[in-house]
């Protein structure tokens, strides 16, 4: 990888610990600092958009929500959800909902979509440049028993993760193969974020 140019103020608009951890790895590799600001944008999974378009739209809205707070900065927003059999899978609404989602994964597959938005602001937080992109990873599962489901529910922070899937937790051991970016399943496709940051730095 090529060394990053000098960075302006960088803001990650996310409350996800996993996403923050991944972005910290990127920042340490290239030697720049960043701050986190939880976006108050309320996700609307019912919007009539394709999965890639919805992922990019939600990521942009998350970044846009905090833009006015950070003039002369670069802000990164991201949104992750799953799709299976044409249905979009956001965060479970209840434990029962989470169990039903996980049950459907058994000996099947799903796609993890992450939208990423990188925006730059001028004075007063006015947005002057924006980039959006989308990553998709296909996850294939083995058999998941009712006992497995109970273990996943007990250990994983299931109601706060899209598609009730926390690959770093108990559910990860039931994944047989992954096609695509592993980091995307966690919540942030690092290579795309790196490329987008470099492109944005050429514009500001």
């Amino acid at each position: 990888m090529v060394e990053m140019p000098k960075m302006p103020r960088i803001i990650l608009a996310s409350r996800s610990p996993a996403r923050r951890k991944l972005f910290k790895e990127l920042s340490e590799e290239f030697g720049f600092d960043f701050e986190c600001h939880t976006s108050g944008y309320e996700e609307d999974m019912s919007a009539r958009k394709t999965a890639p378009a919805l992922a990019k739209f939600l990521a942009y809205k998350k970044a846009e929500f905090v833009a006015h707070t950070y003039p002369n900065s670069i802000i990164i927003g991201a949104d992750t959800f799953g799709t299976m059999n044409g249905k979009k899978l956001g965060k479970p609404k209840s434990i029962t909902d989470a169990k039903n989602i996980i049950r459907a994964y058994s000996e099947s597959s799903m796609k993890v979509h992450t939208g990423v938005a990188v925006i730059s602001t001028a004075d007063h937080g006015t947005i002057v440049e924006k980039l959006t992109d989308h990553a998709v990873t296909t996850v294939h599962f083995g058999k998941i028993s009712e006992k497995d489901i109970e273990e996943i529910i007990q250990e994983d922070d299931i109601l706060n993760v899209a598609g009730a899937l926390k690959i770093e937790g108990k559910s990860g051991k039931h994944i047989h193969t992954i096609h695509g970016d592993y980091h995307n399943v966690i919540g942030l496709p690092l290579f795309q974020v790196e490329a987008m940051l470099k492109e944005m730095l050429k514009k500001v």
Side-chain angles (χ1 to χ4, degrees):
M1 297 183 188
V2 181
E3 184 179 354
M4 283 278 192
K6 185 178 179 180
M7 289 281 193
R9 191 179 191 187
I10 304 293
I11 309 298
L12 177 65
S14 179
R15 66 179 178 183
S16 164
R19 197 170 281 146
R20 293 183 187 193
K21 183 179 179 181
L22 283 176
F23 196 68
K24 187 172 186 291
E25 291 176 11
L26 185 65
S27 72
E28 289 176 345
E29 182 174 357
F30 293 105
F32 65 87
D33 295 323
F34 72 97
E35 303 167 49
C36 288
H37 186 120
T38 299
S39 177
Y41 178 74
E42 293 293 331
E43 302 166 8
D44 181 9
M45 295 295 295
S46 66
R48 293 190 175 184
K49 295 178 181 289
T50 64
L54 179 61
K56 290 188 285 188
F57 172 77
L58 294 176
Y60 175 73
K61 297 302 284 187
K62 285 184 175 181
E64 180 189 48
F65 191 92
V66 303
H68 68 281
T69 308
Y70 296 100
N72 304 307
S73 301
I74 290 178
I75 303 166
I76 297 98
D79 189 80
T80 301
F81 58 83
T83 58
M84 188 176 187
N85 300 323
K87 181 181 179 182
K88 297 182 179 73
L89 305 171
K91 295 175 183 176
K93 298 179 178 63
S94 65
I95 292 296
T96 298
D97 186 29
K99 288 182 178 181
N100 289 334
I101 293 171
I102 298 166
R103 192 173 289 118
Y105 291 156
S106 183
E107 298 183 297
S108 191
S109 62
M110 58 92 76
K111 294 182 184 297
V112 178
H113 302 265
T114 299
V116 179
V118 179
I119 65 176
S120 66
T121 59
D123 295 341
H124 310 296
T126 305
I127 297 172
V128 291
E129 296 284 352
K130 71 173 184 177
L131 298 169
T132 60
D133 204 352
H134 163 261
V136 59
T137 302
T138 303
V139 180
H140 302 273
F141 297 88
K143 185 173 178 57
I144 304 175
S145 68
E146 291 300 311
K147 181 181 177 182
D148 294 330
I149 293 173
E150 291 299 328
E151 289 180 353
I152 293 169
I153 294 295
Q154 291 298 319
E155 182 167 292
D156 290 353
D157 186 18
I158 230 62
L159 297 182
N160 288 317
V161 290
L165 175 63
K166 190 173 181 181
I167 195 171
E168 318 94 298
K170 285 281 187 179
S171 51
K173 73 177 185 180
H174 301 289
I175 295 173
H176 275 191
T177 56
I178 294 176
H179 293 122
D181 187 346
Y182 170 84
H183 296 119
N184 180 47
V185 184
I186 300 175
L188 200 66
L190 289 183
F191 286 104
Q192 282 174 270
V193 173
E194 176 194 339
M196 293 171 75
L197 277 173
K198 288 178 179 177
E199 186 175 349
M200 182 59 76
L201 286 168
K202 295 176 183 177
K203 298 174 179 288
V204 298

